[in-house]
Amino acid sequence: MGTLYADALVTDPAVFQEDWVPADFRHRDAELNLLSTALEPVISGEPAGDAFVWGPSGSGKTSATRYLLDALHERADGLDTHYLSCWTDRTRHAVLYSVLEGLGTAPGKRRTAVSAGELRSRIEDGVDRPVVVVLDEVDQLESPDVLYDLYHTPGLAIVLVANREDQVLARLEPRLRSRLANATSVQFDRYDLDALVAILAQRAEHGLRPDVVSRADLEHVADVAAGDARDAIRILATAVRLAASEGAESLSPETVDRAVPAARTELRETRRERLGEHQYALYTVISSAGEISPGEAYERYADRVEEPRSRRRVRDYVSKLVEYGLVTVHGQNRGRRYRAVDGETRTK
DNA sequence: ATTCCACGGGAAAGCATGGACC
DNA sequence: GGTCCATGCTTTCCCGTGGAAT
């Protein structure tokens, strides 16, 4: 519904989407060069080196990696590269299946009576020339065994993308860890204010009508986003939508200020909408209590739903809610409390 | 000091689902 | 159409922890 109004200010809504990568990707030259050195052997048909890409959220890891893959494709036809996110493909089977899809030799449907081991050997058979596989959000992997599968496929180079190096490495077997020690490590840092402003300006230039935003607006947004480009872009998008729905012709500092909590609420809403019936009920219980003990939370949850899941299962739901950033836990053992994350008290 | 018990999380087994193969 | 089988979700059983009760 917003689009009707938004047209007045927006010429290309795509610039506000997560996967929009500008034609000229800037401010990450050193990181791109490093990663490129590891990967570019594929252009001449040589095996690429493995790589780690680390950095906080919104620091450009995903965009830079995708940009580089595109750039490699421009320099050579018919490269085999595959990008997948472990957020959606989190099990061994799902990852292997996705890689096979990338190779173009996947069995018919995703949910298939073909075992993970069988998928693995099909990958080994299918890789007859150097391949690059990017595993984004690799810290979301349910079990990292699959890295072992991929690592043992000759000619297949893996690029692991995650927030923190130690979080991923700690979960690997020592054998795999030491073999990955040769991988190129590329560290991303938070954007500084100027870079963030430039990134926003690029979006504005491509997707907004002239004079909708001023440099001061962008600085304001960049300042609030604290080095996180994803946040910055989302806040800008929300602010523009807000301004458009109110019939304004340009942004104001006041609109930006209102957009900040709105953008964060929106993010939480979309996460909440993705919850299943039981996780939703549990979240509602925790959220309406503000803070609650595990036992009490379970009792109330069980009252709320028709067929309550077991306590054990509900513990897993809690871990998921924590993973989604909707809930935090405090204390140990008996003193444990679940706390809902609301708009005002953000984690970090 | 000893026992109790709320809690978290690993392991294994049961079950429903739906693709693969005949 | 019928059978086989792998996955993913779930329950059941269990053990380690550490603060509270005895």
Side-chain angles (χ1 to χ4, degrees), chain A residues 50-223:
Chain A
D50 300 307
F52 291 140
V53 176
W54 314 113
S57 65
S59 59
K61 304 182 296 294
T62 299
S63 296
T65 307
R66 303 194 77 147
Y67 172 79
L68 182 60
L69 288 187
D70 286 347
L72 291 177
H73 276 280
E74 268 180 29
R75 289 166 62 185
D77 285 334
L79 286 185
D80 263 327
T81 68
H82 184 56
Y83 169 92
L84 69 96
S85 168
C86 301
W87 182 260
T88 39
D89 295 327
R90 56 209 315 143
T91 67
R92 181 176 179 226
H93 190 266
V95 168
L96 293 175
Y97 187 89
S98 176
V99 171
L100 270 176
E101 272 183 328
L103 294 172
T105 54
K109 291 286 173 56
R110 267 200 109 75
R111 190 188 171 88
T112 177
V114 177
S115 72
E118 172 65 19
L119 292 177
R120 173 190 163 149
S121 44
R122 287 198 202 182
I123 288 173
E124 284 178 10
D125 294 345
V127 176
D128 49 5
R129 58 180 171 157
V131 173
V132 174
V133 174
V134 178
L135 291 120
D136 202 352
E137 307 198 64
V138 71
D139 41 355
Q140 295 299 324
L141 224 43
E142 173 206 87
S143 92
D145 306 346
V146 66
L147 299 181
Y148 204 71
D149 296 319
L150 297 177
Y151 201 76
H152 282 278
T153 305
L156 190 152
I158 51 182
V159 178
L160 306 181
V161 183
N163 290 140
R164 286 174 48 191
E165 184 163 6
D166 48 355
Q167 275 175 354
V168 175
L169 288 180
R171 298 173 63 205
L172 302 181
E173 317 178 25
R175 246 191 322 170
L176 184 54
R177 207 183 309 158
S178 64
R179 292 191 63 173
L180 283 171
N182 302 327
T184 304
S185 185
V186 185
Q187 173 76 47
F188 282 66
D189 293 316
R190 290 186 171 281
Y191 286 109
D192 61 36
L193 195 77
D194 287 344
L196 220 44
V197 169
I199 288 168
L200 292 173
Q202 207 169 26
R203 300 287 201 288
E205 197 180 312
H206 280 90
L208 295 181
R209 294 193 188 283
D211 303 323
V212 170
V213 292
S214 68
R215 172 152 184 108
D217 293 329
L218 298 185
E219 279 174 1
H220 190 176
V221 173
D223 189 45

Side-chain angles (χ1 to χ4, degrees), chain A residues 202-279:
Chain A
Q202 207 169 26
R203 300 287 201 288
E205 197 180 312
H206 280 90
L208 295 181
R209 294 193 188 283
D211 303 323
V212 170
V213 292
S214 68
R215 172 152 184 108
D217 293 329
L218 298 185
E219 279 174 1
H220 190 176
V221 173
D223 189 45
V224 177
D228 185 330
R230 185 186 289 124
D231 262 14
I233 293 163
R234 190 162 46 218
I235 291 168
L236 180 61
T238 308
V240 169
R241 189 153 30 76
L242 217 53
S245 71
E246 291 165 359
E249 283 171 11
S250 65
L251 251 54
S252 68
E254 178 269 335
T255 316
V256 173
D257 284 334
R258 276 188 296 138
V260 175
R264 286 176 183 150
T265 305
E266 237 170 72
L267 177 67
R268 214 169 47 252
E269 284 296 306
T270 50
R271 281 187 187 147
R272 203 173 53 87
E273 279 164 16
R274 280 204 287 265
L275 299 177
E277 180 201 346
H278 293 273
Q279 293 181 27

Side-chain angles (χ1 to χ4, degrees), chain A residues 269 271-287 301 304-305 317 321:
Chain A
E269 284 296 306
R271 281 187 187 147
R272 203 173 53 87
E273 279 164 16
R274 280 204 287 265
L275 299 177
E277 180 201 346
H278 293 273
Q279 293 181 27
Y280 181 85
L282 181 63
Y283 176 68
T284 309
V285 163
I286 297 172
S287 174
Y301 151 79
R304 265 190 109 83
V305 296
Y317 290 157
L321 294 179

